[in-house]
Amino acid sequence: MGKIGNLKEGKTQEAESAMVEIRNVSAGYGKHRVLDGVSLTLQKGQVTTLIGENGSGKSTLLKVLLGFHPLTGGKILIGGVLAEKLKRSELAKNIAYLPQGNNVPDITAGRMVLSGRFPYLSYPRRYGAQDIEVARRAMEQMRILQYSDYPMSQLSGGMRQKVYIAMALAQQAGVIVMDEPTTYLDIGQQAKFAALVRELSGAGKTLLLVLHDLPLALKISDKVAALSAGKIIFCGSAKETVRSKIAEELYGVAVKSVPTEAGEQYYYELLS
């Protein structure tokens, strides 16, 4: 796989926007508060993974960050700019989103990737030569260019996931948010995904993932943040996460690690 950084062409929109600060954020639905004073900083070039039980507030935090749901308190800054000051198109140029359980649209893979250029279109909404070239190079980076004319419905779950990632790359956002990105990936594809995530962060992308696969989260993350009842109850490195025993509190399992030639490998055991 080529270097993700090759997608850049001169100065891009992501230059100063890859740091995100979530400061004392609260949000909810009606009188039900889901997030309660959440603070989290996403550093440029790092992978941060959110963990937590179902209903802990992970999805709501993503919706708030992406501007899909209003805050009731606190603020979010992207590259030092208040998110609420950004237009929808400007926010999309800063943050790319891969939702969980994507619907399969009735279009080709190439057209799907090209849609990542939509925030850059002015009236009339027509893709230009630069948009087509950026999308083509994104597909090359993901090694899926040969599937450009394939309908999305004919691709496997793992291949569709690569298309969605290529779409995010074509969007040229400094921040990429992924909600359960390994849902449709087999073991081999998960290993390739882990390598891709590290390559993206190495190219300066800021990644926020939501994962239930804790060993994978520990393997690929610079830091892990645990949400419980709408609050961040822990945030630290993989080693700090293991030492904290936060997995015992959240899931009732003990996380352990073993050193290997390929680096630290993580696994968990059920508590007796």
Side-chain angles (χ1 to χ4, degrees):
M1 184 178 291
K3 291 184 179 300
I4 297 297
N6 290 342
L7 280 173
K8 297 181 181 180
E9 211 173 69
K11 186 175 181 180
T12 68
Q13 296 288 335
E14 65 188 76
E16 299 297 334
S17 62
M19 181 175 176
V20 177
E21 298 170 83
I22 300 168
R23 298 183 181 176
N24 200 33
V25 162
S26 296
Y29 303 90
K31 295 182 179 180
H32 177 54
R33 177 176 286 191
V34 178
L35 300 178
D36 186 9
V38 172
S39 293
L40 183 65
T41 299
L42 311 179
Q43 297 286 356
K44 176 179 172 63
Q46 289 192 357
V47 181
T48 301
T49 298
L50 282 175
I51 64 170
E53 300 169 290
N54 291 333
S56 61
K58 299 187 300 297
S59 294
T60 300
L61 181 56
L62 296 191
K63 291 177 182 178
V64 165
L65 174 60
L66 295 159
F68 298 159
H69 192 77
L71 307 177
T72 57
K75 56 187 177 181
I76 296 174
L77 294 94
I78 302 173
V81 179
L82 280 171
E84 63 190 48
K85 301 293 185 181
L86 297 173
K87 296 179 181 179
R88 172 61 60 184
S89 61
E90 293 173 331
L91 190 59
K93 290 176 183 178
N94 284 282
I95 303 179
Y97 176 46
L98 279 72
Q100 180 183 12
N102 291 290
N103 293 323
V104 183
D106 188 23
I107 59 176
T108 64
R111 193 69 183 180
M112 190 75 213
V113 175
L114 188 58
S115 67
R117 300 298 300 164
F118 191 81
Y120 297 91
L121 301 185
S122 56
Y123 187 83
R125 302 287 187 177
R126 294 175 182 170
Y127 296 109
Q130 182 180 357
D131 300 310
I132 294 171
E133 176 61 14
V134 170
R136 184 191 67 80
R137 286 188 282 123
M139 295 191 78
E140 280 187 338
Q141 294 292 335
M142 294 305 301
R143 294 187 176 182
I144 57 172
L145 186 60
Q146 67 270 35
Y147 299 102
S148 180
D149 294 329
Y150 281 57
M152 290 289 288
S153 60
Q154 292 183 13
L155 300 178
S156 67
M159 191 60 66
R160 285 199 298 268
Q161 194 70 305
K162 289 185 177 182
V163 173
Y164 291 124
I165 294 173
M167 180 179 68
L169 293 176
Q171 197 168 324
Q172 291 186 311
V175 182
I176 301 177
V177 175
M178 304 183 189
D179 191 1
E180 290 295 337
T182 60
T183 300
Y184 301 107
L185 304 184
D186 60 31
I187 295 174
Q189 291 169 335
Q190 286 184 22
K192 292 177 181 178
F193 172 78
L196 173 65
V197 165
R198 297 311 307 176
E199 187 178 355
L200 287 168
S201 63
K205 300 287 186 182
T206 301
L207 289 97
L208 176 63
L209 313 179
V210 171
L211 289 174
H212 282 296
D213 187 335
L214 189 54
L216 178 62
L218 293 170
K219 182 177 180 179
I220 66 177
S221 304
D222 294 290
K223 60 182 178 182
V224 175
L227 262 176
S228 181
K231 296 177 180 289
I232 297 285
I233 59 172
F234 171 83
C235 186
S237 67
K239 289 183 178 181
E240 291 169 337
T241 303
V242 173
R243 289 199 300 264
S244 73
K245 298 185 178 181
I246 191 66
E248 296 184 17
E249 180 178 343
L250 292 177
Y251 308 118
V253 298
V255 177
K256 299 183 178 182
S257 65
V258 57
T260 71
E261 292 182 359
E264 206 77 11
Q265 299 298 313
Y266 300 92
Y267 64 98
Y268 57 84
E269 296 179 345
L270 289 174
L271 297 176
S272 57

